Amino acid sequence: MTDLNASALPEVADRGEVAVPAYPLRERAVGIVHFGVGGFHRAHQAMFLDRLMNAGRDRDWAICGVGLLPGDARMRDALTSQDGLYTLVTKAPDGTRDPRVVGSIAKYLFAPDDPEAVLAQMTDPAVRIVSLTVTEGGYNYNPSTGQFQFETEAVAADLAARFDVEGAVAAASAGEDVGGANTAHRSGQPQTMFGYVVEALRRRRESGTAPFTVMSCDNVRGNGDLAKRMILAYARRRDEHGLHGGTPIAEWIENDVAFPNCMVDRITPVTAPADIEMVSSDYGIEDDWPVVAEDFVQWVLEDDFPAGRPAYEEVGVQMVEDVEPYELMKLRLLNCSHQAIAYFGLLLGQTYADEAAVDEHLAPFTRTLYMDREGTPAVPEVPGIDLDAYKDELMARFANQEIKDTLARLAAESSDRIPTWLVPVIQENLTAGRDVSASAAIVASWARYAEGTGENGEEWPVVDRLHDRVMAAAARHDEDQLAFLRDEELFGDLARQEAFTTPYLHALEVLREDGARALLKELVAGA
C-alpha cells in the first residue's frame, strides 16, 4: 500500500496500473488561482491542464487552489499532505476504468489561515487566470431580479469591515488597540471571493501589473458575464465608500478585465467512502480524497484571454467565439433533466441516478415530455450538434451504473438550481404559448420533496441554502396550495400565471394524494 505523494510516484508508475504525471513536479509553476477546488474542478479543468503538462506543454500554468469556507480545511489537509496529487478514476458504462494520478495542482491555500498569502499569489505577475467553481449560489445574485445581494451575511460583513479600513488605520495611528478577531477585516483583508478578486485587481493596478482573466466554470447561463456583473457590483459599492484612495476600481475592472464564458460538462458524484476504498484495494494507493467521474467530458470555452492561456485546444477543449448555444443546450437539457429525475426518483424510493434514468415511467417523462417537448424548443441551433443524438447520449450517461451518482446530490441546493436552470425555460415557453406541463410537474416534485417526508414515511435531509424558507413554504400546502410558488425571488411571477399554475396545482395534488408513480403514469399515458 502506497501513501500518495510526490516520492511515491515512481513506485506507483512501476506497478503499471495507474498513469502518473510524466513531468517533474518541480517544474510546475503557478499560473492559475482557482477558487472552489472540489470533485468537479479536479475531474475537469485540472484534468485538462494535466493532459497538457503530460504532453510537454504549459507547466507554467499550474493551479493554486484556494478554499474560503470552513469545510475547505479538509481539502487543504488532503492536498497539502499529497503534494497536490490525487487519483482520478473515470468509469465507462461498460465497466472500463481509467485511473490516473493528476498533478496539475501545485499548491493549495486555505484563505482563513493566511489571507495575505492568497493575495500575494493573486498579485504575482505569473498568475494570469483566476478561475471559479463556486456553485450557482456563489455568485450571490437574486435569480428573479438578477441583482447582487448586498445583504447576504458574508458579503455584508466583508463590505462593512472593509468600509472601516480608514477608521482602523486612524485608530491605530492614535495608539488605539485594533487587534482581536476582526484584525484581518480591519486591515483590509477580504473574506469572500468577491473581496479577494477585487482587492487583488486593485493591488495589481496600483503596482502596474496587468490584470488577470476571471474564468467562471459554473453551471449558470453566461457564467462569465454573470461573474463580471456581480464582481463589478461589489467593486462599485467599494468605490462608493472611497476604499481606493479616491481612485475607483470598478471602471478599470469593467474596461480591462476579461470574463470569458464557458460550458463545462462531466458528471462527477461526491466522493464516497467506497471510492476511497476502491482506490486503495484495486490500485494500492492511499488517497485521502480521490475523484470518480464518468468517462464523458466536454468544455466549450470563449477564446478571450488577453493575458494568455494554456493551449487548451490541444487537449480537446472547444475554443469558440460564442458559447451561448452550447451552454443553453447543456443547462436546459442536461441540468434541467437532472432536476427532473432527482425529486421524482427520491419520491419513488430510488437512490441513484442510474435507477431513475431507466425507470419505466420516469425515463419517458424525462426524455420525451421534458427534453423533447419543453427543453428542446428553448435551445437555439447548436453548431455541429445533433440534438436528438445528444439527448439519447444524456439518457445513456444518466444510466451509467458504474459511477453511482446519487439523487440526493442532484436534489441539493435546489433554490440555486431550479430558478437558474428551469425557470427561464418555463418563462420562455410561456411567452411563446408552449406547453409547460412537464416543467410544472418538476417544480411540483421539488415542492413535494421539500415537505421532507416521503410517501412511506421516510424522512430525508433537505440540503439547501434556503432550507428553512423552502421547507416552511412546503409546510403550508394544506392551507395554500400555491404557498411554495409564491416566493418571487425563486419563481418570479409564476404563481400569477394560470398557464403554469393549472398544471402545477394538478401535479402537486396528485403527488400528495396518490404519489409520484401515479402522476408519472398519468403524464406519460397522456403524451
Side-chain angles (χ1 to χ4, degrees):
M1 203 63 62
T2 305
D3 291 333
L4 183 59
N5 53 47
S7 63
L9 291 181
E11 180 183 343
V12 175
D14 286 345
R15 291 202 293 261
E17 298 176 307
V18 179
V20 302
Y23 47 91
L25 298 186
R26 65 180 179 276
E27 293 185 4
R28 299 177 300 182
V30 172
I32 299 172
V33 169
H34 182 82
F35 284 84
V37 176
F40 179 75
H41 171 70
R42 293 187 293 149
H44 194 275
Q45 299 100 48
M47 179 278 301
F48 278 108
L49 194 56
D50 184 68
R51 283 183 180 177
L52 270 174
M53 292 179 170
N54 277 309
R57 295 291 307 270
D58 295 332
R59 292 172 190 172
D60 59 339
W61 284 101
I63 297 164
C64 171
V66 175
L68 298 176
L69 303 176
D72 294 329
R74 181 187 165 205
M75 187 65 74
R76 171 201 62 195
D77 296 343
L79 290 181
T80 300
S81 68
Q82 297 178 180
D83 299 312
L85 302 170
Y86 60 92
T87 313
L88 170 64
V89 182
T90 59
K91 297 183 176 182
D94 64 3
T96 302
R97 296 179 183 177
D98 181 18
R100 72 171 305 107
V101 173
V102 175
S104 56
I105 299 179
K107 66 164 69 171
Y108 186 91
L109 299 174
F110 182 55
D113 286 343
D114 189 350
E116 276 298 327
V118 176
L119 288 168
Q121 188 72 73
M122 296 176 74
T123 53
D124 184 339
V127 170
R128 288 147 287 167
I129 295 174
V130 169
S131 54
L132 313 170
T133 49
V134 294
T135 77
E136 299 77 24
Y139 295 88
N140 196 53
Y141 73 109
N142 182 315
S144 179
T145 66
Q147 299 300 306
F148 189 79
Q149 300 181 120
F150 292 102
E151 69 280 4
T152 302
E153 183 177 355
V155 169
D158 204 1
L159 283 169
R162 297 197 61 75
F163 294 162
D164 194 38
V165 170
E166 293 180 0
V169 172
S173 299
E176 298 178 17
D177 180 12
V178 294
N182 293 322
T183 300
H185 262 160
R186 281 199 281 254
S187 63
Q189 293 172 334
Q191 300 209 353
T192 66
M193 174 273 287
F194 303 100
Y196 276 102
V197 169
V198 172
E199 175 62 13
L201 286 169
R202 183 194 71 80
R203 294 185 184 191
R204 290 176 78 107
R205 184 191 61 175
E206 293 301 312
S207 67
T209 303
F212 46 69
T213 295
V214 178
M215 180 175 71
S216 168
C217 299
D218 283 294
N219 286 316
V220 290
R221 180 177 182 178
N223 47 21
D225 297 335
L226 178 65
K228 181 175 184 175
R229 291 198 308 273
M230 298 305 107
I231 288 170
L232 279 174
Y234 180 96
R236 289 186 180 116
R237 181 61 61 92
R238 284 188 54 171
D239 285 348
E240 290 171 7
H241 289 72
L243 292 177
H244 313 295
T247 305
I249 188 69
E251 182 177 355
W252 185 76
I253 293 174
E254 184 171 19
N255 293 332
D256 289 68
V257 179
F259 293 80
N261 293 298
C262 76
M263 180 269 264
V264 294
D265 190 6
R266 170 166 262 180
I267 296 173
T268 309
V270 174
T271 300
D275 298 321
I276 298 174
E277 174 59 29
M278 177 268 292
V279 170
S280 174
S281 61
D282 292 4
Y283 306 118
I285 297 174
E286 292 295 334
D287 186 337
D288 289 340
W289 207 332
V291 185
V292 172
E294 65 171 336
D295 58 333
F296 178 93
V297 66
Q298 187 177 21
W299 191 2
V300 183
L301 180 58
E302 181 182 1
D303 201 355
D304 183 16
F305 291 83
R309 62 168 175 80
Y312 288 127
E313 69 278 4
E314 294 188 10
V315 287
V317 180
Q318 296 169 256
M319 305 302 300
V320 301
E321 292 184 8
D322 184 11
V323 172
E324 186 174 49
Y326 302 92
E327 185 177 62
L328 291 179
M329 174 186 73
K330 192 257 181 172
L331 293 174
R332 295 180 171 184
L333 295 176
L334 186 151
N335 293 107
C336 288
S337 296
H338 261 162
Q339 301 308 108
I341 66 174
Y343 316 107
F344 272 114
L346 289 167
L347 291 169
L348 291 170
Q350 297 162 352
T351 302
Y352 296 105
D354 60 90
E355 298 174 78
V358 298
D359 182 271
E360 61 176 323
H361 300 112
L362 185 48
F365 168 81
T366 304
R367 176 63 177 84
T368 301
L369 273 66
Y370 174 72
M371 284 192 189
D372 285 348
R373 295 190 179 184
E374 299 182 25
T376 299
V379 174
E381 182 179 351
V382 187
I385 299 292
D386 178 334
L387 282 185
D388 284 331
Y390 179 77
K391 289 179 285 189
D392 288 340
E393 183 178 39
L394 287 182
M395 294 303 293
R397 291 169 61 194
F398 294 168
N400 185 344
Q401 298 181 33
E402 297 298 315
I403 62 171
K404 308 313 288 183
D405 196 12
T406 65
L407 295 172
R409 181 186 79 87
L410 303 182
E413 303 301 344
S414 308
S415 63
D416 291 328
R417 296 176 172 186
I418 292 286
T420 302
W421 301 337
L422 184 60
V423 170
V425 175
I426 296 168
Q427 291 169 334
E428 286 193 24
N429 283 333
L430 286 172
T431 298
R434 296 189 289 256
D435 183 43
V436 292
S437 297
S439 297
I442 296 169
V443 176
S445 70
W446 175 28
R448 172 66 185 87
Y449 165 79
E451 292 180 359
T453 303
E455 295 171 12
N456 298 311
E458 66 272 32
E459 296 184 358
W460 47 64
V462 174
V463 178
D464 198 294
R465 68 182 178 88
L466 300 181
H467 170 275
D468 294 344
R469 191 160 119 195
V470 298
M471 291 198 75
R476 296 198 302 273
H477 281 149
D478 286 336
E479 60 193 75
D480 178 5
Q481 290 182 303
L482 286 175
F484 196 78
L485 208 61
R486 295 191 193 281
D487 191 328
E488 293 194 2
E489 180 182 330
L490 302 181
F491 299 110
D493 66 350
L494 290 185
R496 298 191 298 276
Q497 296 207 46
E498 186 177 355
F500 183 79
T501 59
T502 297
Y504 170 83
L505 287 173
H506 175 73
L508 184 60
E509 180 181 12
V510 176
L511 283 168
R512 301 188 76 219
E513 293 187 2
D514 303 315
R517 181 67 66 191
L519 177 60
L520 289 169
K521 283 183 178 179
E522 175 190 315
L523 292 171
V524 171

